[in-house]
Amino acid sequence: MWSDAINQNNKTALLAWVKETGIQLVQVNGQRKYGGPPPGWIGEPPPSGSEVFIGKLPQDIYENKLIPLFQSVGMLYEFRLMMTFSGLNRGFAYAKYSNRRSVQIAIAALNNFEVQKGCPIMVCRSTEKCELCVNGLSSSVEQGQLWTLLQELTMGVLNISLYPSPSRKGGQLAVLKYNSHRAAAMAKKTLVEGNLGLYGEEIEVDWLKVDMKQKLRASSERTFPESLQPAGCKSGSPSQMPCGAMTCPLPQAFCVLDYLNALCKKQQLGIPVFLTKCVQANPDGWLRFWYQVVIPGYPSPFSGFMWIKPDKSGLSGHDKAKNAIALQLLKTLGESLHGSAVVLGSVPLSLNS
């Protein structure tokens, strides 16, 4: 709701312009939006790189002045003005054009343009950031847990990568990738303004900066434990594989399912029941599986997502997914795989063999 006592004349002029032009403005999540798509738009949205960032706006100026100005240099697909609760703007906006050429024209024509006397604005290409950095997660937080929670709280999350926190000893840092800048910005707003504590931990949320991205890229992404990778395998870089992916195939002889079944039998929990479904395939051959595992004697089921890349080992994608999931469950159940032995029948099988 607007406060009528603040900037009343300009608000009245905006309402009159809206009535005269029939233009539709929708306010949601701290921003007021036109278009996306505009009336009469046919086809796909504009390509990446078609948006400009508009800064240094006087807080009392509105769309009745800004939209005609930015429409004068090219066809607008969308215009977003960031708003405060009082009804003033927050000093910045985004204009998305129908093509990249219009962005170049807008920057050349409108950067340093005085929208009011003595008020030059800044117009530059929007970076359209899509990645967030969440620092301060507990070391016990798993990708599947985090994925489930973020899908409930936010929209458009594509990928989650976990790394050791560079600033919090024993903690984790998550990189969240979204399908658009808008989705990432809304997620950031939700996580920051909600004062969210994930699994009891106070977290810090910010855009993923270039220096941090380079630092993380140089470190090992937490995917499949190095101590259990077959000899000669090398982990791919975080930028080349999906989150939660197995970096190396499991040989057929290395059947983690057998170990899990033996452990559950030993602890009288019953045989685990696996449900797996392939929900996504990317061009590089990685398959994304949803899974749910029910252990009869365990109080709650386990569920989440897992990336797998088929190979020539003879195992199907579902079997490889079950092996990788079983490994995670063994860790969750407190079984130390490295250096331990589990008895199958009468033959002890050491994981170091």
Side-chain angles (χ1 to χ4, degrees), residues 67 115 180 235 254 261 321:
I67 288 179
V115 291
S180 68
S235 298
F254 194 105
N261 289 339

Side-chain angles (χ1 to χ4, degrees), residues 135-345:
N135 196 12
L137 294 171
S138 166
S139 60
S140 64
V141 173
E142 297 285 345
Q143 284 173 325
Q145 293 175 302
L146 191 57
W147 177 273
T148 301
L149 180 61
L150 289 172
Q151 284 205 317
E152 293 177 359
L153 295 174
T154 68
M155 295 181 63
V157 61
L158 293 177
N159 192 22
I160 299 172
S161 299
L162 286 175
Y163 303 85
S165 172
S167 59
R168 295 198 186 184
K169 188 175 181 180
Q172 293 189 98
L173 179 147
V175 173
L176 316 179
K177 186 171 184 178
Y178 285 83
N179 60 9
S180 68
H181 173 75
R182 183 190 306 169
M186 291 300 100
K188 182 174 181 289
K189 177 181 172 67
T190 298
L191 297 175
V192 171
E193 294 189 359
N195 295 317
L196 189 66
L198 293 180
Y199 306 104
E201 301 290 330
E202 291 297 323
I203 60 171
E204 300 172 3
V205 183
D206 202 353
W207 294 109
L208 179 62
K209 295 180 173 59
V210 174
D211 58 341
M212 177 62 74
K213 192 169 186 175
Q214 292 173 342
K215 183 184 295 186
L216 296 176
R217 188 171 290 170
S219 68
S220 297
E221 183 179 10
R222 200 187 78 171
T223 52
F224 199 75
E226 290 185 1
S227 59
L228 298 176
Q229 293 179 7
C233 288
K234 295 181 179 179
S235 298
S237 70
S239 61
Q240 294 172 330
M241 68 178 69
C243 73
M246 289 174 55
T247 59
C248 294
L250 285 172
Q252 292 186 48
F254 194 105
C255 187
V256 187
L257 274 173
D258 290 340
Y259 289 90
L260 178 63
N261 289 339
L263 175 65
C264 290
K265 182 178 179 180
K266 181 180 178 181
Q267 297 185 352
Q268 298 181 339
L269 296 175
I271 299 299
V273 178
F274 284 75
L275 297 175
T276 58
K277 182 179 181 180
C278 185
V279 296
Q280 185 180 347
N282 73 14
D284 296 326
W286 291 93
L287 303 177
R288 183 164 176 255
F289 285 85
W290 168 86
Y291 67 86
Q292 185 174 73
V293 183
V294 177
I295 301 176
Y298 201 80
S300 59
F302 300 87
S303 62
F305 294 87
M306 175 71 65
W307 283 96
I308 296 295
K309 190 168 186 179
D311 55 36
K312 298 178 181 180
S313 65
L315 292 177
S316 69
H318 285 272
D319 287 337
K320 288 192 66 177
K322 289 177 182 178
N323 266 344
I325 296 160
L327 178 63
Q328 287 193 352
L329 293 185
L330 282 165
K331 292 171 63 180
T332 301
L333 293 171
E335 180 73 0
S336 176
L337 286 178
H338 188 58
S340 69
V342 179
V343 177
L344 296 179

Side-chain angles (χ1 to χ4, degrees), residues 39-215:
W41 179 270
I42 299 175
E44 296 295 319
S48 175
S50 301
E51 186 175 70
V52 295
F53 170 80
I54 308 158
K56 298 183 180 179
L57 287 173
Q59 285 193 274
D60 61 351
I61 196 170
Y62 296 128
E63 291 89 341
N64 57 315
K65 300 293 184 182
L66 296 173
I67 288 179
L69 175 64
F70 282 86
Q71 276 182 331
S72 68
V73 296
M75 180 180 177
L76 281 178
Y77 174 81
E78 181 182 75
F79 189 91
R80 295 181 291 128
L81 183 63
M82 305 300 117
M83 302 298 297
T84 68
F85 288 111
S86 68
L88 295 173
N89 77 64
R90 294 172 59 190
F92 66 99
Y94 296 89
K96 180 172 285 190
Y97 286 94
S98 59
N99 55 65
R100 294 174 180 144
R101 177 168 172 75
S102 295
V103 167
Q104 297 173 337
I105 297 172
I107 293 172
L110 300 177
N111 187 39
N112 290 320
F113 179 84
E114 288 195 0
V115 291
Q116 292 178 1
K117 187 175 181 180
C119 296
I121 60 174
M122 177 182 70
V123 180
C124 62
R125 191 179 299 273
S126 171
T127 56
E128 298 189 26
K129 299 175 184 176
C130 296
E131 291 179 302
L132 299 178
C133 177
V134 180
N135 196 12
L137 294 171
S138 166
S139 60
S140 64
V141 173
E142 297 285 345
Q143 284 173 325
Q145 293 175 302
L146 191 57
W147 177 273
T148 301
L149 180 61
L150 289 172
Q151 284 205 317
E152 293 177 359
L153 295 174
T154 68
M155 295 181 63
V157 61
L158 293 177
N159 192 22
I160 299 172
S161 299
L162 286 175
Y163 303 85
S165 172
S167 59
R168 295 198 186 184
K169 188 175 181 180
Q172 293 189 98
L173 179 147
V175 173
L176 316 179
K177 186 171 184 178
Y178 285 83
N179 60 9
S180 68
H181 173 75
R182 183 190 306 169
M186 291 300 100
K188 182 174 181 289
K189 177 181 172 67
T190 298
L191 297 175
V192 171
E193 294 189 359
N195 295 317
L196 189 66
L198 293 180
Y199 306 104
E201 301 290 330
E202 291 297 323
I203 60 171
E204 300 172 3
V205 183
D206 202 353
W207 294 109
L208 179 62
K209 295 180 173 59
V210 174
D211 58 341
M212 177 62 74
K213 192 169 186 175
Q214 292 173 342
K215 183 184 295 186

